[in-house]
């Protein structure tokens, strides 16, 4: 998502800020800006679009010549990606300027409060409240520390903030809560940034700020305070990465980085939607009592997320759900009317077939709910309602955190709809919501459990054909596991409902085949055990995925990957993790171009 950089020293700040922003580009952004302290004033330049637009603007500007400043690449969440909404933001009196990563959840009430106090707002961002709060609290007694701490205490949500003030020449301030921020310690100059990517060219000595801590940086020193203003002794750590590796946050590939980011992406997607023990979707206006049928449409992995969603929605809401590939739905005269809810799922929000299917169903009267990751995308604009996945930018072509956050939104929506329709009791609602909230932790545990996967990939990477089998949600997860494997490793792979094997595909089972048996659905464990025995009897090798402690599977399969125990309805987000890693390590063993697989594009904007 957004990127932050701050610098103070003897050198001219702007080139350093721009270089830092360049290194943060991989995070994804849609506008950028810098602000420097120059001759008693804050001078600023911002531009929508690429960093090159900002460079172009700065070339024509004579006054951006200070030695301390802040910079930002913005990935729009609140408000369109325009120059006005771009960071840095500035206070009404021109004294404070800030850059912000994260989301301020209570910005609407703060905005009203500040308006009543006479502050003027110029942008649509959640961030702007912060800079006005700073001005307001600084006005009491001109104490920076007190103003920053008081402002922070008013903010709900996540933030990493960089701050400059005309009354503090040569100083830059940083504070964080649930959003990353790192201090770079140089010789006669100091920095802060969202991640080390932006710093390693200048210094490899870093201080990791903890939640609630804030830092005051001058060219010759860094002072860190805790949330009640006491000085904290911090350790300076030496970063081992070289510049190139740091661009991927130290990971060899963006895909691996994004797999590892899933706990955080899920947290960002789930937590803001849970308020006082209830699922709430801000701005959602949906009369579910009118809905007689749900159609889920999407392409590729997003479609496979929909396949999981069907099980969850039908089970909890007892409403009929159809899942249809958008490329098919759009050309088959769909049966949809004003009693149909179309759920369109898309990471990019720009997939041409999904857009086509939305238009077809909309023209027949269906109401459209989009589940989208990219704010302001075409699908988000076309839909009557949008629920965003807050996965952050996904760079690797093969989706990972995009898919799991789609699952999380579908789980939340199913629970919300079941409640709206009066189809779930209070106790079951409470229990299931608790299980959804555990998903970030369970996905982290699934990652922690995955240490045997590189070795398994080493054993199986020469297999030419892999079958994925499963029942119920396991079967839907198999579809995604199989797609991950084929798109990045180019191995032939197919996914089948386990019960379908003997209706044809079992003819292909022989000693050369690897069968990945997904056996997390405990109610159907006996049936799956039968299917495993079936393929083993024909010589196949079986790699099973099961919940921890499932002894029966250990006795049947050649190898087992365990995942942490989870609510059966919501286990897909946990179960997919080892399959993503399995695909990743197979592709790595086979020397494939993992982040940019051949013939594939990240956003499929043509049919
Ligand atoms: C697979 C993958 C694709 C996308 C599909 C839809 O890893 O990424 O299958 O899921 O192209 O894209 P979006 O979600 O952007 O509509």
């Amino acid at each position: 998502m957004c990127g932050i950089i701050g610098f103070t020293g003897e050198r001219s700040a702007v080139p350093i800020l721009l270089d830092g922003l360049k290194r943060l580009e991989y995070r994804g952004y849609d506008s950028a800006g810098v602000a420097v302290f120059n001759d008693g004033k804050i001078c600023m330049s911002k531009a929508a679009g690429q960093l090159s637009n900002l460079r172009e603007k700065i070339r024509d500007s004579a006054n951006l010549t200070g030695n301390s400043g802040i910079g930002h690449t913005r990935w729009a969440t609140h408000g369109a990606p325009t120059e006005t909404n771009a960071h840095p933001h500035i206070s009404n009196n021109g004294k404070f300027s800030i850059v912000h990563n994260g989301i301020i959840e209570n910005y609407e009430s703060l905005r009203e409060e500040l308006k009543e106090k006479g502050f003027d707002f110029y942008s649509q961002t959640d961030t702007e409240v912060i800079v006005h709060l700073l001005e307001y609290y600084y006005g009491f007694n001109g104490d920076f520390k007190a103003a920053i701490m008081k402002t922070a205490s008013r903010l709900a949500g996540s933030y990493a903030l960089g701050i400059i003030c005309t009354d503090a020449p040569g100083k830059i301030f940083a504070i964080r809560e649930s959003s990353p921020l790192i201090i770079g310690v140089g010789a006669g100059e100091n920095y802060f940034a969202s991640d080390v990517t932006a710093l390693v060219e200048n210094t490899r000595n870093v201080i990791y700020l903890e939640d609630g801590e804030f830092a005051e940086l001058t060219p010759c020193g860094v002072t860190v305070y805790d949330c009640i203003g006491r000085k904290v002794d911090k350790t300076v750590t030496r970063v081992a990465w070289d510049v190139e590796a740091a661009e991927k946050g130290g990971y060899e590939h963006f895909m691996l980085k994004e797999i590892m980011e899933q706990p955080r992406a899920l947290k960002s997607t789930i937590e803001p939607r849970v308020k006082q023990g209830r699922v709430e979707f801000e701005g959602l206006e949906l009369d579910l009592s009118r809905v007689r049928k749900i159609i889920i449409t999407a392409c590729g992995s997003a479609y496979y997320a929909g396949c999981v969603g069907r099980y969850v929605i039908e089970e909890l809401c007892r409403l009929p759900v159809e899942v249809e590939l958008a490329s098919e739905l759009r050309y088959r005269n769909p049966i949809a009317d004003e009693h149909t809810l179309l759920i369109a799922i898309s990471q990019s929000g720009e997939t041409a077939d999904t857009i086509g299917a939305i238009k077809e169903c909309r023209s027949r009267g269906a109401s459209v709910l989009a589940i989208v990751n990219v704010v302001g995308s075409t699908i988000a604009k076309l839909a009557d309602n949008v629920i965003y996945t807050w996965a952050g930018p996904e760079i690797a072509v093969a989706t990972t955190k995009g898919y799991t956050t789609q699952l999380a939104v579908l789980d939340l929506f199913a629970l919300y709809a079941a409640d709206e329709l009066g189809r779930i009791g209070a106790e079951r609602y409470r229990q299931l919501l608790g299980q959804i909230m555990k998903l970030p932790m369970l996905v982290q545990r699934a990652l922690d459990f995955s240490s045997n996967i590189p070795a398994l990939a080493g054993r199986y990477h020469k297999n030419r054909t892999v079958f994925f089998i499963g029942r119920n949600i396991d079967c839907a997860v198999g579809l995604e596991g199989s797609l991950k494997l084929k798109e990045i490793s180019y191995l032939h792979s197919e996914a089948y409902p386990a019960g379908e094997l003997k209706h044809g595909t079992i003819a292909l089972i022989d000693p050369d085949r690897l069968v990945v048996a997904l056996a997390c659905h405990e109610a159907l464990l006996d049936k799956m055990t039968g299917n495993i025995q079936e393929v083993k009897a024909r010589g196949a090798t079986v790699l099973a995925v099961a919940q921890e402690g499932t002894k029966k599977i250990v006795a049947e399969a050649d190898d087992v990957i365990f995942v942490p125990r989870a609510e059966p309805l919501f286990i897909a987000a946990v179960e997919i993790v080892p399959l993503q890693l399995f695909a990743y390590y197979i592709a790595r063993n086979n020397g494939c171009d993992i982040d940019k697989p051949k013939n594939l594009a990240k956003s499929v904007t043509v049919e």
Side-chain angles (χ1 to χ4, degrees):
M1 225 176 276
C2 311
I4 281 184
I5 177 91
F7 170 77
T8 179
E10 296 297 320
R11 293 190 282 162
S12 175
V14 166
I16 295 162
L17 297 177
L18 287 175
D19 282 354
L21 293 182
K22 181 87 196 139
R23 299 210 163 274
L24 293 170
E25 266 188 321
Y26 80 94
R27 297 167 69 94
Y29 69 104
D30 36 42
S31 59
V34 292
V36 290
F37 179 80
N38 182 18
D39 203 14
K41 291 198 302 291
I42 288 171
C43 301
M44 188 147 87
S45 188
K46 312 199 276 188
Q50 296 294 303
L51 210 49
S52 52
N53 300 349
L54 179 65
R55 281 188 192 275
E56 204 57 45
K57 269 188 94 174
I58 288 174
R59 197 166 297 144
D60 303 332
S61 156
N63 58 358
L64 282 162
T65 54
N67 310 109
S68 58
I70 50 181
H72 192 260
T73 45
R74 173 173 186 253
W75 199 77
T77 55
H78 297 69
T82 59
E83 184 176 323
T84 312
N85 288 332
H87 302 205
H89 285 285
I90 191 148
S91 59
N92 284 170
N93 64 3
K95 268 187 194 291
F96 285 94
S97 181
I98 64 162
V99 287
H100 166 222
N101 282 2
I103 290 177
I104 303 304
E105 285 156 20
N106 58 338
Y107 82 101
E108 278 167 333
S109 58
L110 289 172
R111 183 184 269 255
E112 286 318 305
E113 181 187 322
L114 286 159
K115 275 185 181 166
E116 273 168 32
K117 290 183 172 31
F119 286 90
D120 289 328
F121 281 79
Y122 58 85
S123 78
Q124 299 156 309
T125 63
D126 54 338
T127 301
E128 199 185 336
V129 297
I130 307 172
V131 79
H132 299 321
L133 280 175
L134 280 170
E135 175 182 332
Y136 176 69
Y137 288 118
Y138 184 68
F140 282 84
N141 54 10
D143 180 339
F144 288 115
K145 217 165 85 178
I148 292 171
M149 280 168 57
K150 186 65 196 165
T151 298
S153 75
R154 299 292 318 279
L155 305 175
S158 59
Y159 50 85
L161 292 175
I163 306 166
I164 54 174
C165 176
T166 53
D167 289 349
K171 281 189 184 171
I172 54 174
F173 301 91
I175 181 164
R176 63 157 281 183
E177 181 66 48
S178 305
S179 208
L181 199 58
I182 293 155
I183 309 289
V185 182
E189 54 187 36
N190 290 305
Y191 313 77
F192 56 71
S194 310
D195 63 50
V196 290
T197 319
L199 300 177
V200 281
E201 204 175 18
N202 292 304
T203 179
R204 287 191 180 185
N205 296 328
V206 302
I207 295 172
Y208 293 98
L209 281 188
E210 299 299 324
D211 275 348
E213 288 180 343
F214 78 94
E216 188 181 300
L217 287 73
T218 64
C220 341
V222 177
T223 316
V224 179
Y225 302 94
D226 68 12
C227 59
I228 52 168
R230 293 172 307 197
K231 267 193 197 170
V232 188
D233 282 334
K234 299 292 289 186
T235 313
V236 176
T237 308
R238 179 104 181 129
V239 174
W241 303 333
D242 60 17
V243 171
E244 203 174 309
E247 280 174 352
K248 286 168 190 141
Y251 291 101
E252 195 178 338
H253 297 99
F254 281 112
M255 183 176 174
L256 186 58
K257 174 173 170 286
E258 288 159 7
I259 290 172
M260 297 301 176
E261 278 172 356
Q262 290 179 109
R264 203 177 73 204
L266 285 165
K267 198 165 184 282
S268 307
T269 301
I270 295 168
E271 283 188 356
R273 275 56 187 260
V274 182
K275 296 193 178 114
Q276 274 129 27
R278 312 218 54 81
V279 179
E280 276 182 32
F281 296 110
E282 206 182 302
L284 187 77
E285 283 176 20
L286 198 55
D287 182 1
L288 282 159
S289 64
R290 286 167 51 84
V291 176
R292 303 275 173 272
K293 169 173 96 167
I294 293 178
I295 304 177
I296 301 179
T297 197
C299 301
S301 295
Y303 166 74
Y304 295 144
C307 292
V308 175
R310 172 177 49 192
Y311 287 104
V312 185
I313 297 173
E314 283 195 342
E315 178 64 26
L316 294 181
C317 303
R318 310 311 298 157
L319 264 181
V321 181
E322 295 167 13
V323 197
E324 178 109 22
L325 287 164
S327 54
E328 288 296 313
L329 183 65
R330 65 185 298 190
Y331 294 120
R332 73 162 178 90
N333 192 9
I335 301 172
D337 60 19
E338 63 279 13
H339 297 297
T340 307
L341 173 66
L342 180 77
I343 302 182
I345 309 174
S346 174
Q347 188 283 128
S348 64
E350 302 296 346
T351 302
D353 281 321
T354 311
I355 294 170
I358 291 174
K359 290 182 176 161
E360 283 300 315
C361 293
R362 152 75 59 72
S363 70
R364 289 161 177 78
S367 159
V368 180
L369 167 65
I371 298 175
V372 168
N373 194 39
V374 179
V375 174
S377 56
T378 307
I379 292 175
K381 285 195 202 123
L382 266 178
D384 302 294
N385 284 287
V386 187
I387 304 176
Y388 286 107
T389 49
W390 297 121
E394 207 177 45
I395 314 280
V397 164
T399 185
T400 51
K401 60 179 182 167
Y403 167 82
T404 42
T405 52
Q406 287 161 357
L407 293 177
V409 167
L410 287 161
D411 294 344
L412 286 164
F413 176 76
L415 195 56
Y416 167 86
D419 185 43
E420 288 284 304
L421 294 166
R423 310 246 158 98
I424 188 165
E427 182 47 30
R428 174 107 167 114
Y429 180 97
R430 195 192 56 75
Q431 183 246 333
L432 288 180
L433 183 55
Q435 294 302 317
I436 295 176
M437 293 193 73
K438 277 190 184 164
L439 283 175
M441 178 273 288
L442 292 171
V443 166
Q444 182 59 56
R445 289 193 65 218
L447 289 167
D448 298 342
F449 277 25
S450 63
S451 53
N452 63 338
I453 292 179
L456 290 170
R459 195 172 309 154
Y460 294 124
H461 73 107
K462 291 216 172 82
N463 274 70
R464 298 318 309 161
T465 295
V466 181
F467 289 103
F468 288 74
I469 58 169
R471 290 168 180 262
N472 196 277
I473 286 177
D474 284 336
C475 170
V477 174
L479 293 166
E480 172 62 2
S482 168
L483 179 63
K484 284 285 90 67
L485 187 64
K486 68 182 100 166
E487 67 184 332
I488 62 165
S489 76
Y490 318 140
L491 291 194
H492 173 239
S493 157
E494 293 186 48
Y496 283 97
E500 269 294 294
L501 273 182
K502 54 170 83 69
H503 298 287
T505 321
I506 203 159
L508 294 173
I509 301 295
D510 64 29
D512 288 337
R513 310 289 175 225
L514 173 65
V515 175
V516 178
L518 300 168
C520 289
H521 199 292
E522 295 215 314
L524 294 171
L525 199 57
D526 286 343
K527 302 277 171 213
M528 271 308 290
T529 309
N531 292 125
I532 291 173
Q533 286 161 350
E534 227 165 55
V535 294
K536 289 241 14 142
R538 282 148 186 92
T541 306
V542 172
L543 168 61
V545 179
Q547 299 195 51
E548 57 182 322
T550 317
K551 293 207 179 74
K552 204 170 200 169
I553 290 297
V554 181
E556 301 294 341
D558 296 279
D559 284 299
V560 184
I561 301 171
F562 286 112
V563 294
R565 304 194 80 80
E567 156 63 41
L569 275 178
F570 308 141
I571 201 161
V574 181
E575 190 177 1
I576 193 62
V577 170
L579 303 185
Q580 295 168 337
L581 286 166
F582 186 64
Y584 173 83
Y585 283 109
I586 294 255
R588 191 170 173 275
N589 268 301
N590 291 351
C592 302
D593 187 353
I594 292 178
D595 283 336
K596 295 193 199 75
K598 65 178 184 209
N599 308 336
L600 295 179
K602 184 68 187 157
S603 187
V604 187
T605 52
V606 289
E607 272 191 65

